Amino acid sequence: MAETQLLFRKAEVPEHVPPENVIDFDLFAQPSADTDFFEYWKRLQAPGVPDFVWTPCNGGHWIATRGEDIHTIYADHDRFSSRNILLPAERNEAIRVLPTSLDPPEHRPFRSLINHALSPKVVRGLEPSIRELTVSLIEGFRQRGHCEFASEFAELLPISLFLKMVNLPVEDRLKLKALSEQVNRPDGSMTPEEVNQGFYDYLMPVLLERRANPGDDIFSQFLAGSIDGRPMTDAEAFELCMQVLIAGLDTVVSVLGFLMMFLARNAEHRQLLVDDPARIPPAVKEFLRRFPLVAIPRTVIHDMEFQGVRFKEGDLILVPTMLHGLDDRAYQCPLEVDFERRIGIHSTFGAGVHRCPGSLLARAELRIFLEEWLSRIPRFDIEPGRTPKVLYGIVGTVVDLPLVWQV
Amino acid sequence: MVKLIVIDAEGAEHVLDAEPGRSVMKAATDELLPGIMGECGGCLSCATCHGYVDEAWLSRLDPPGEEELDMLSCAVDVEPNSRLTCQIEMSEALDGLVIRLPAAQF
Ligand code: HEM
């Protein structure tokens, strides 16, 4: 299996880590094209693999491999801090984002601003524009009988919508996408400092301009927000807006890619949704359980024993959301897609105070997309002879998905 | 256990047994009741456990706090008897509480 070269240093195994818990797992490795993204992550749940493993890759860190622990760790900010949300840890010195890297109580005032910006009310108001944009993108290529789904649809819908919400020109999406990718899937072409500077050079002039001439966009709302009674500083506004950009640009895209790859290959599932669009809302729930793709670390706050494992203050634990919805301890036959499944707790959007504030927007986009696509292009396949391309990292994503259909 | 009656937007009545101390949102989502989400798990950051408190019960509840009111303003179809149900804790005094769900959470 051809794997890319290591981008970041390997660490020595610390004394408190038992040898039987050590494995070699590189979050940023890019396995060969025929590997299934979810099965790749699920190897961490293979028989005999401990519930917590430790890898020397990317500076050395634990990985929580089981759903219940994953949920607990996301939700328990008293024992697991968010102060490092990137691996390896030194990248957090160059790239600082709010409110993701703050623990309570400092987290709350920033989060409150985001809650309002992405609220149920706001998302409901956005529905008509989501639908309009979805239809116009699909109609742009429908008669042609083929498209490259990632670049011609998945990357355009969430990004165009989001750039509209923050009132930035849609043309800037490639630049912002490229920078976001270096945060979530660094390839060694830019240092973390260069990535941060790239965002800074782009965002800071925009924010200063909005501070002077506020509009009704999300960034202006943030700038007007109060942080425990004082105005937000420019540096805070930058880190907050950068986080919202990265999170908004690089996630729905990925879920869209994985679910279309699935529907292209599974005609029966597709037909169920075409025949009865009322199945689409439960299908969106099931897809979100089945296609989780974010893996973020937490930092252990105090020496402690957790689930029989000894953790030391400062230990990093990677908490892959992938491994909750796909855990057979939580869901029977987890790799099967079943629109009738009773779906309880999973961690696709995280848990606790940092739980994704964009989840309603994401759900609305996925539902509207399926409604509009399946009524227009009910049957489609992956172009024969082509293999879709998937990228691994903090957020997994599909970058090449050539689809064909009869016109 | 105390009784919690949740009436969904279609008018169907769901009678749930709730443990005193458990929130209405948790009691309902434990049963995977449709029509209520509770996305954030009860930390007051999503407004998707919105419900209407039956008028007969309104006076028996503690009034909503500041953070709840702030998040409630994010919900859709808010009425004077609207609450975020993660903030209503079941108790003996609330045995038989009736909550109606909105047509949609977002
Ligand atoms: C299906 C798509 C999405 C997935 C799977 C997803 C996943 C996640 C996860 C797992 C977290 C938790 C991070 C942590 O605990 O450290 C998170 C946080 C966040 N997400 Fe999403 N997300 C999605 C869509 C979105 C969208 C569309 C937006 C914005 C427009 C967004 C904005 C955010 C923000 C701002 C945070 C940080 C919240 C905080 O730290 O309090 N997300 N997301």
Side-chain angles (χ1 to χ4, degrees), chain A residues 108-161:
Chain A
R108 181 74 194 183
F110 295 99
R111 174 61 189 242
S112 175
L113 294 171
I114 301 184
N115 290 341
H116 281 268
L118 296 169
S119 71
K121 220 185 207 161
V122 168
V123 173
R124 179 178 282 190
L126 283 170
E127 272 211 25
S129 3
I130 302 175
R131 203 172 290 281
E132 200 183 314
L133 192 57
T134 305
V135 171
S136 81
L137 288 172
I138 298 172
E139 287 303 332
F141 50 64
R142 187 167 64 94
Q143 293 301 337
R144 202 204 296 160
H146 65 93
C147 76
E148 194 290 282
F149 184 75
S151 60
E152 292 190 86
F153 189 90
E155 287 174 12
L156 289 173
L157 171 71
I159 295 179
S160 312
L161 186 78

Short mmCIF file of all heavy atoms in Angstrom, two decimals, chain A residues 108-161:
data_model
loop_
_atom_site.label_atom_id
_atom_site.label_comp_id
_atom_site.label_asym_id
_atom_site.label_seq_id
_atom_site.Cartn_x
_atom_site.Cartn_y
_atom_site.Cartn_z
N ARG A 108 -18.45 30.50 26.06
CA ARG A 108 -19.87 30.81 25.90
C ARG A 108 -20.21 32.09 25.12
O ARG A 108 -21.04 32.04 24.21
CB ARG A 108 -20.55 30.83 27.29
CG ARG A 108 -22.05 31.12 27.25
CD ARG A 108 -22.84 29.92 26.75
NE ARG A 108 -24.21 30.28 26.40
CZ ARG A 108 -25.13 29.41 25.99
NH1 ARG A 108 -24.83 28.13 25.88
NH2 ARG A 108 -26.33 29.81 25.69
N PRO A 109 -19.61 33.24 25.45
CA PRO A 109 -20.05 34.45 24.73
C PRO A 109 -19.80 34.38 23.22
O PRO A 109 -20.59 34.90 22.44
CB PRO A 109 -19.23 35.58 25.38
CG PRO A 109 -18.21 34.93 26.24
CD PRO A 109 -18.66 33.55 26.53
N PHE A 110 -18.70 33.75 22.82
CA PHE A 110 -18.44 33.61 21.38
C PHE A 110 -19.45 32.66 20.76
O PHE A 110 -20.01 32.89 19.69
CB PHE A 110 -17.01 33.09 21.14
CG PHE A 110 -15.95 34.04 21.60
CD1 PHE A 110 -15.32 33.87 22.82
CD2 PHE A 110 -15.60 35.12 20.80
CE1 PHE A 110 -14.35 34.76 23.24
CE2 PHE A 110 -14.63 36.01 21.22
CZ PHE A 110 -14.00 35.83 22.45
N ARG A 111 -19.70 31.56 21.47
CA ARG A 111 -20.61 30.55 20.96
C ARG A 111 -22.02 31.10 20.82
O ARG A 111 -22.75 30.78 19.89
CB ARG A 111 -20.57 29.34 21.90
CG ARG A 111 -21.57 28.27 21.57
CD ARG A 111 -21.32 27.69 20.17
NE ARG A 111 -22.41 26.83 19.80
CZ ARG A 111 -22.29 25.53 19.54
NH1 ARG A 111 -21.11 24.97 19.56
NH2 ARG A 111 -23.34 24.82 19.21
N SER A 112 -22.38 31.95 21.78
CA SER A 112 -23.71 32.52 21.76
C SER A 112 -23.94 33.31 20.47
O SER A 112 -25.01 33.26 19.86
CB SER A 112 -23.86 33.40 23.00
OG SER A 112 -25.08 34.04 22.96
N LEU A 113 -22.91 34.03 20.01
CA LEU A 113 -23.03 34.79 18.76
C LEU A 113 -23.26 33.84 17.58
O LEU A 113 -24.06 34.11 16.69
CB LEU A 113 -21.77 35.61 18.52
CG LEU A 113 -21.51 36.74 19.53
CD1 LEU A 113 -20.12 37.32 19.33
CD2 LEU A 113 -22.58 37.81 19.40
N ILE A 114 -22.53 32.71 17.59
CA ILE A 114 -22.69 31.74 16.50
C ILE A 114 -24.07 31.10 16.56
O ILE A 114 -24.71 30.89 15.53
CB ILE A 114 -21.60 30.64 16.59
CG1 ILE A 114 -20.22 31.27 16.50
CG2 ILE A 114 -21.80 29.62 15.48
CD1 ILE A 114 -19.10 30.26 16.46
N ASN A 115 -24.55 30.80 17.78
CA ASN A 115 -25.88 30.19 17.91
C ASN A 115 -26.94 31.05 17.23
O ASN A 115 -27.82 30.53 16.55
CB ASN A 115 -26.25 30.00 19.37
CG ASN A 115 -25.43 28.91 20.05
OD1 ASN A 115 -24.84 28.07 19.37
ND2 ASN A 115 -25.40 28.93 21.37
N HIS A 116 -26.84 32.34 17.43
CA HIS A 116 -27.82 33.23 16.82
C HIS A 116 -27.66 33.28 15.30
O HIS A 116 -28.64 33.34 14.57
CB HIS A 116 -27.71 34.64 17.41
CG HIS A 116 -28.38 34.74 18.75
ND1 HIS A 116 -29.69 35.11 18.89
CD2 HIS A 116 -27.93 34.46 20.00
CE1 HIS A 116 -30.02 35.08 20.18
NE2 HIS A 116 -28.96 34.69 20.87
N ALA A 117 -26.41 33.23 14.84
CA ALA A 117 -26.16 33.35 13.40
C ALA A 117 -26.63 32.12 12.62
O ALA A 117 -26.91 32.22 11.43
CB ALA A 117 -24.67 33.58 13.16
N LEU A 118 -26.70 30.96 13.28
CA LEU A 118 -27.06 29.72 12.58
C LEU A 118 -28.29 29.07 13.21
O LEU A 118 -28.45 27.85 13.18
CB LEU A 118 -25.87 28.74 12.63
CG LEU A 118 -24.59 29.19 11.93
CD1 LEU A 118 -23.42 28.28 12.28
CD2 LEU A 118 -24.79 29.21 10.42
N SER A 119 -29.18 29.88 13.76
CA SER A 119 -30.31 29.38 14.54
C SER A 119 -31.37 28.72 13.67
O SER A 119 -31.37 28.87 12.45
CB SER A 119 -30.96 30.56 15.27
OG SER A 119 -31.62 31.37 14.32
N PRO A 120 -32.30 27.98 14.29
CA PRO A 120 -33.43 27.39 13.54
C PRO A 120 -34.14 28.44 12.68
O PRO A 120 -34.45 28.20 11.52
CB PRO A 120 -34.35 26.87 14.63
CG PRO A 120 -33.45 26.56 15.79
CD PRO A 120 -32.35 27.58 15.71
N LYS A 121 -34.35 29.62 13.25
CA LYS A 121 -35.04 30.68 12.53
C LYS A 121 -34.27 31.09 11.28
O LYS A 121 -34.81 31.23 10.20
CB LYS A 121 -35.13 31.88 13.47
CG LYS A 121 -36.42 32.63 13.44
CD LYS A 121 -36.18 33.80 14.35
CE LYS A 121 -37.33 34.39 15.01
NZ LYS A 121 -36.97 35.19 16.16
N VAL A 122 -32.96 31.28 11.44
CA VAL A 122 -32.12 31.68 10.31
C VAL A 122 -32.14 30.60 9.23
O VAL A 122 -32.31 30.89 8.04
CB VAL A 122 -30.67 31.95 10.78
CG1 VAL A 122 -29.72 32.08 9.60
CG2 VAL A 122 -30.62 33.18 11.67
N VAL A 123 -32.00 29.34 9.65
CA VAL A 123 -31.95 28.25 8.67
C VAL A 123 -33.27 28.14 7.92
O VAL A 123 -33.30 27.97 6.71
CB VAL A 123 -31.57 26.91 9.35
CG1 VAL A 123 -31.69 25.76 8.37
CG2 VAL A 123 -30.15 26.99 9.89
N ARG A 124 -34.38 28.31 8.64
CA ARG A 124 -35.66 28.25 7.95
C ARG A 124 -35.75 29.36 6.89
O ARG A 124 -36.18 29.13 5.77
CB ARG A 124 -36.82 28.39 8.93
CG ARG A 124 -38.15 28.35 8.17
CD ARG A 124 -39.34 28.43 9.05
NE ARG A 124 -39.63 27.17 9.71
CZ ARG A 124 -40.76 26.98 10.39
NH1 ARG A 124 -41.66 27.94 10.50
NH2 ARG A 124 -40.98 25.82 10.97
N GLY A 125 -35.26 30.54 7.24
CA GLY A 125 -35.28 31.66 6.31
C GLY A 125 -34.41 31.42 5.08
O GLY A 125 -34.64 31.96 4.01
N LEU A 126 -33.37 30.57 5.25
CA LEU A 126 -32.45 30.32 4.15
C LEU A 126 -32.96 29.30 3.15
O LEU A 126 -32.45 29.19 2.04
CB LEU A 126 -31.11 29.81 4.69
CG LEU A 126 -30.19 30.86 5.31
CD1 LEU A 126 -29.03 30.16 6.01
CD2 LEU A 126 -29.65 31.80 4.23
N GLU A 127 -33.98 28.51 3.55
CA GLU A 127 -34.44 27.40 2.70
C GLU A 127 -34.67 27.78 1.24
O GLU A 127 -34.18 27.09 0.35
CB GLU A 127 -35.70 26.76 3.29
CG GLU A 127 -35.35 25.67 4.26
CD GLU A 127 -36.39 24.56 4.32
OE1 GLU A 127 -37.12 24.35 3.33
OE2 GLU A 127 -36.46 23.91 5.37
N PRO A 128 -35.42 28.88 0.97
CA PRO A 128 -35.65 29.22 -0.44
C PRO A 128 -34.34 29.46 -1.19
O PRO A 128 -34.20 29.00 -2.33
CB PRO A 128 -36.48 30.50 -0.37
CG PRO A 128 -37.08 30.51 1.00
CD PRO A 128 -36.15 29.77 1.88
N SER A 129 -33.35 30.12 -0.57
CA SER A 129 -32.10 30.34 -1.32
C SER A 129 -31.34 29.04 -1.50
O SER A 129 -30.67 28.86 -2.52
CB SER A 129 -31.19 31.39 -0.70
OG SER A 129 -31.66 31.89 0.49
N ILE A 130 -31.41 28.14 -0.52
CA ILE A 130 -30.73 26.86 -0.69
C ILE A 130 -31.34 26.13 -1.89
O ILE A 130 -30.63 25.61 -2.76
CB ILE A 130 -30.86 25.96 0.56
CG1 ILE A 130 -30.30 26.66 1.80
CG2 ILE A 130 -30.17 24.61 0.35
CD1 ILE A 130 -30.49 25.89 3.10
N ARG A 131 -32.68 26.15 -1.94
CA ARG A 131 -33.36 25.43 -3.02
C ARG A 131 -33.04 26.04 -4.38
O ARG A 131 -32.72 25.35 -5.35
CB ARG A 131 -34.87 25.43 -2.77
CG ARG A 131 -35.60 24.28 -3.47
CD ARG A 131 -37.06 24.17 -3.04
NE ARG A 131 -37.25 23.71 -1.68
CZ ARG A 131 -37.19 22.44 -1.29
NH1 ARG A 131 -36.89 21.50 -2.16
NH2 ARG A 131 -37.38 22.10 -0.03
N GLU A 132 -33.10 27.35 -4.44
CA GLU A 132 -32.84 28.04 -5.70
C GLU A 132 -31.44 27.75 -6.23
O GLU A 132 -31.24 27.41 -7.40
CB GLU A 132 -33.00 29.54 -5.43
CG GLU A 132 -33.24 30.40 -6.63
CD GLU A 132 -33.29 31.86 -6.19
OE1 GLU A 132 -33.96 32.16 -5.18
OE2 GLU A 132 -32.62 32.68 -6.84
N LEU A 133 -30.48 27.83 -5.33
CA LEU A 133 -29.09 27.59 -5.71
C LEU A 133 -28.90 26.13 -6.15
O LEU A 133 -28.24 25.84 -7.16
CB LEU A 133 -28.21 27.91 -4.49
CG LEU A 133 -26.73 28.01 -4.68
CD1 LEU A 133 -26.39 29.06 -5.73
CD2 LEU A 133 -26.09 28.42 -3.34
N THR A 134 -29.50 25.20 -5.39
CA THR A 134 -29.40 23.78 -5.72
C THR A 134 -29.93 23.53 -7.12
O THR A 134 -29.26 22.89 -7.95
CB THR A 134 -30.22 22.94 -4.71
OG1 THR A 134 -29.78 23.26 -3.40
CG2 THR A 134 -30.06 21.46 -4.95
N VAL A 135 -31.14 24.04 -7.39
CA VAL A 135 -31.76 23.80 -8.70
C VAL A 135 -30.91 24.40 -9.81
O VAL A 135 -30.66 23.76 -10.83
CB VAL A 135 -33.20 24.37 -8.72
CG1 VAL A 135 -33.78 24.32 -10.12
CG2 VAL A 135 -34.08 23.60 -7.74
N SER A 136 -30.42 25.61 -9.61
CA SER A 136 -29.69 26.25 -10.71
C SER A 136 -28.37 25.52 -10.98
O SER A 136 -27.96 25.38 -12.13
CB SER A 136 -29.50 27.74 -10.47
OG SER A 136 -28.41 27.95 -9.61
N LEU A 137 -27.73 25.01 -9.94
CA LEU A 137 -26.49 24.26 -10.18
C LEU A 137 -26.78 22.97 -10.94
O LEU A 137 -26.10 22.63 -11.91
CB LEU A 137 -25.79 23.92 -8.85
CG LEU A 137 -25.12 25.09 -8.12
CD1 LEU A 137 -24.65 24.66 -6.74
CD2 LEU A 137 -23.92 25.60 -8.93
N ILE A 138 -27.82 22.24 -10.53
CA ILE A 138 -28.15 20.97 -11.19
C ILE A 138 -28.55 21.23 -12.65
O ILE A 138 -28.09 20.54 -13.57
CB ILE A 138 -29.28 20.22 -10.45
CG1 ILE A 138 -28.84 19.87 -9.03
CG2 ILE A 138 -29.67 18.95 -11.21
CD1 ILE A 138 -29.95 19.29 -8.15
N GLU A 139 -29.39 22.24 -12.85
CA GLU A 139 -29.85 22.52 -14.22
C GLU A 139 -28.69 22.94 -15.12
O GLU A 139 -28.75 22.78 -16.33
CB GLU A 139 -30.96 23.57 -14.21
CG GLU A 139 -32.30 23.05 -13.68
CD GLU A 139 -32.83 21.82 -14.45
OE1 GLU A 139 -32.51 21.67 -15.64
OE2 GLU A 139 -33.54 21.00 -13.83
N GLY A 140 -27.64 23.46 -14.51
CA GLY A 140 -26.46 23.87 -15.27
C GLY A 140 -25.78 22.73 -16.00
O GLY A 140 -25.11 22.94 -17.01
N PHE A 141 -25.93 21.49 -15.48
CA PHE A 141 -25.24 20.38 -16.16
C PHE A 141 -26.16 19.20 -16.49
O PHE A 141 -25.72 18.23 -17.08
CB PHE A 141 -24.01 19.91 -15.37
CG PHE A 141 -24.27 19.63 -13.90
CD1 PHE A 141 -25.14 18.62 -13.50
CD2 PHE A 141 -23.62 20.37 -12.90
CE1 PHE A 141 -25.36 18.35 -12.16
CE2 PHE A 141 -23.85 20.13 -11.56
CZ PHE A 141 -24.72 19.11 -11.18
N ARG A 142 -27.43 19.27 -16.12
CA ARG A 142 -28.31 18.11 -16.27
C ARG A 142 -28.36 17.60 -17.71
O ARG A 142 -28.21 16.40 -17.96
CB ARG A 142 -29.72 18.44 -15.79
CG ARG A 142 -30.64 17.23 -15.75
CD ARG A 142 -31.91 17.53 -14.99
NE ARG A 142 -32.70 18.56 -15.65
CZ ARG A 142 -33.69 18.30 -16.50
NH1 ARG A 142 -33.98 17.06 -16.81
NH2 ARG A 142 -34.37 19.29 -17.04
N GLN A 143 -28.55 18.50 -18.69
CA GLN A 143 -28.69 18.10 -20.09
C GLN A 143 -27.42 17.46 -20.66
O GLN A 143 -27.46 16.77 -21.67
CB GLN A 143 -29.04 19.32 -20.96
CG GLN A 143 -30.41 19.91 -20.69
CD GLN A 143 -31.54 18.91 -20.91
OE1 GLN A 143 -31.39 17.93 -21.64
NE2 GLN A 143 -32.66 19.12 -20.23
N ARG A 144 -26.32 17.70 -19.99
CA ARG A 144 -25.02 17.22 -20.47
C ARG A 144 -24.84 15.72 -20.20
O ARG A 144 -24.05 15.05 -20.83
CB ARG A 144 -23.96 18.02 -19.71
CG ARG A 144 -22.62 18.10 -20.33
CD ARG A 144 -21.55 18.38 -19.28
NE ARG A 144 -21.66 19.67 -18.61
CZ ARG A 144 -21.07 19.89 -17.42
NH1 ARG A 144 -20.39 18.93 -16.80
NH2 ARG A 144 -21.18 21.06 -16.87
N GLY A 145 -25.54 15.20 -19.20
CA GLY A 145 -25.47 13.77 -18.90
C GLY A 145 -24.27 13.36 -18.06
O GLY A 145 -24.07 12.17 -17.80
N HIS A 146 -23.49 14.29 -17.61
CA HIS A 146 -22.37 13.94 -16.72
C HIS A 146 -21.91 15.16 -15.96
O HIS A 146 -22.16 16.30 -16.38
CB HIS A 146 -21.20 13.34 -17.51
CG HIS A 146 -20.58 14.32 -18.46
ND1 HIS A 146 -19.51 15.10 -18.13
CD2 HIS A 146 -20.91 14.66 -19.73
CE1 HIS A 146 -19.19 15.87 -19.15
NE2 HIS A 146 -20.03 15.62 -20.15
N CYS A 147 -21.24 14.93 -14.82
CA CYS A 147 -20.59 16.04 -14.11
C CYS A 147 -19.52 15.46 -13.20
O CYS A 147 -19.49 14.27 -12.94
CB CYS A 147 -21.61 16.84 -13.28
SG CYS A 147 -22.11 16.02 -11.75
N GLU A 148 -18.62 16.31 -12.79
CA GLU A 148 -17.68 15.91 -11.75
C GLU A 148 -18.31 16.47 -10.48
O GLU A 148 -18.25 17.67 -10.21
CB GLU A 148 -16.29 16.49 -12.02
CG GLU A 148 -15.20 15.83 -11.17
CD GLU A 148 -15.29 16.21 -9.70
OE1 GLU A 148 -14.87 17.31 -9.36
OE2 GLU A 148 -15.81 15.39 -8.89
N PHE A 149 -18.93 15.58 -9.71
CA PHE A 149 -19.82 16.03 -8.64
C PHE A 149 -19.14 16.92 -7.60
O PHE A 149 -19.72 17.88 -7.12
CB PHE A 149 -20.47 14.81 -7.96
CG PHE A 149 -21.46 15.20 -6.91
CD1 PHE A 149 -22.71 15.70 -7.25
CD2 PHE A 149 -21.14 15.10 -5.55
CE1 PHE A 149 -23.63 16.09 -6.28
CE2 PHE A 149 -22.05 15.47 -4.57
CZ PHE A 149 -23.30 15.97 -4.94
N ALA A 150 -17.90 16.59 -7.24
CA ALA A 150 -17.24 17.36 -6.18
C ALA A 150 -17.07 18.83 -6.57
O ALA A 150 -17.50 19.72 -5.85
CB ALA A 150 -15.89 16.73 -5.83
N SER A 151 -16.45 19.07 -7.74
CA SER A 151 -16.16 20.46 -8.10
C SER A 151 -17.35 21.18 -8.72
O SER A 151 -17.44 22.39 -8.64
CB SER A 151 -14.95 20.53 -9.03
OG SER A 151 -15.23 19.80 -10.21
N GLU A 152 -18.28 20.43 -9.34
CA GLU A 152 -19.38 21.10 -10.02
C GLU A 152 -20.64 21.23 -9.15
O GLU A 152 -21.54 21.96 -9.49
CB GLU A 152 -19.73 20.39 -11.32
CG GLU A 152 -18.63 20.51 -12.35
CD GLU A 152 -19.09 20.00 -13.71
OE1 GLU A 152 -19.67 20.78 -14.46
OE2 GLU A 152 -18.87 18.80 -13.98
N PHE A 153 -20.68 20.48 -8.06
CA PHE A 153 -21.82 20.67 -7.16
C PHE A 153 -21.42 20.79 -5.69
O PHE A 153 -21.63 21.81 -5.06
CB PHE A 153 -22.87 19.56 -7.34
CG PHE A 153 -24.11 19.90 -6.56
CD1 PHE A 153 -25.13 20.62 -7.16
CD2 PHE A 153 -24.23 19.57 -5.21
CE1 PHE A 153 -26.24 21.02 -6.43
CE2 PHE A 153 -25.33 19.98 -4.47
CZ PHE A 153 -26.35 20.69 -5.09
N ALA A 154 -20.83 19.70 -5.15
CA ALA A 154 -20.61 19.64 -3.69
C ALA A 154 -19.82 20.84 -3.18
O ALA A 154 -20.12 21.40 -2.13
CB ALA A 154 -19.90 18.34 -3.32
N GLU A 155 -18.79 21.24 -3.93
CA GLU A 155 -17.97 22.36 -3.47
C GLU A 155 -18.68 23.70 -3.67
O GLU A 155 -18.30 24.70 -3.08
CB GLU A 155 -16.62 22.38 -4.19
CG GLU A 155 -15.72 21.26 -3.70
CD GLU A 155 -14.43 21.17 -4.50
OE1 GLU A 155 -14.13 22.09 -5.26
OE2 GLU A 155 -13.74 20.15 -4.33
N LEU A 156 -19.69 23.72 -4.54
CA LEU A 156 -20.32 25.01 -4.85
C LEU A 156 -21.49 25.35 -3.95
O LEU A 156 -21.63 26.48 -3.50
CB LEU A 156 -20.78 25.01 -6.31
CG LEU A 156 -19.64 25.08 -7.31
CD1 LEU A 156 -20.17 24.92 -8.73
CD2 LEU A 156 -18.89 26.40 -7.18
N LEU A 157 -22.36 24.36 -3.67
CA LEU A 157 -23.58 24.68 -2.92
C LEU A 157 -23.28 25.25 -1.53
O LEU A 157 -23.62 26.40 -1.25
CB LEU A 157 -24.52 23.47 -2.84
CG LEU A 157 -25.70 23.67 -1.89
CD1 LEU A 157 -26.70 24.66 -2.47
CD2 LEU A 157 -26.39 22.36 -1.57
N PRO A 158 -22.63 24.48 -0.65
CA PRO A 158 -22.43 25.02 0.70
C PRO A 158 -21.58 26.28 0.70
O PRO A 158 -21.83 27.22 1.46
CB PRO A 158 -21.69 23.89 1.45
CG PRO A 158 -21.71 22.71 0.57
CD PRO A 158 -22.05 23.14 -0.81
N ILE A 159 -20.59 26.32 -0.16
CA ILE A 159 -19.67 27.45 -0.14
C ILE A 159 -20.34 28.72 -0.65
O ILE A 159 -20.22 29.79 -0.05
CB ILE A 159 -18.39 27.12 -0.97
CG1 ILE A 159 -17.65 25.98 -0.27
CG2 ILE A 159 -17.51 28.34 -1.12
CD1 ILE A 159 -16.39 25.53 -0.97
N SER A 160 -21.08 28.60 -1.76
CA SER A 160 -21.73 29.80 -2.29
C SER A 160 -22.73 30.34 -1.28
O SER A 160 -22.83 31.55 -1.04
CB SER A 160 -22.47 29.49 -3.59
OG SER A 160 -21.64 28.76 -4.44
N LEU A 161 -23.48 29.41 -0.68
CA LEU A 161 -24.48 29.81 0.30
C LEU A 161 -23.81 30.51 1.48
O LEU A 161 -24.23 31.56 1.94
CB LEU A 161 -25.19 28.55 0.78
CG LEU A 161 -26.35 28.78 1.68
CD1 LEU A 161 -27.54 29.20 0.84
CD2 LEU A 161 -26.70 27.51 2.45
#
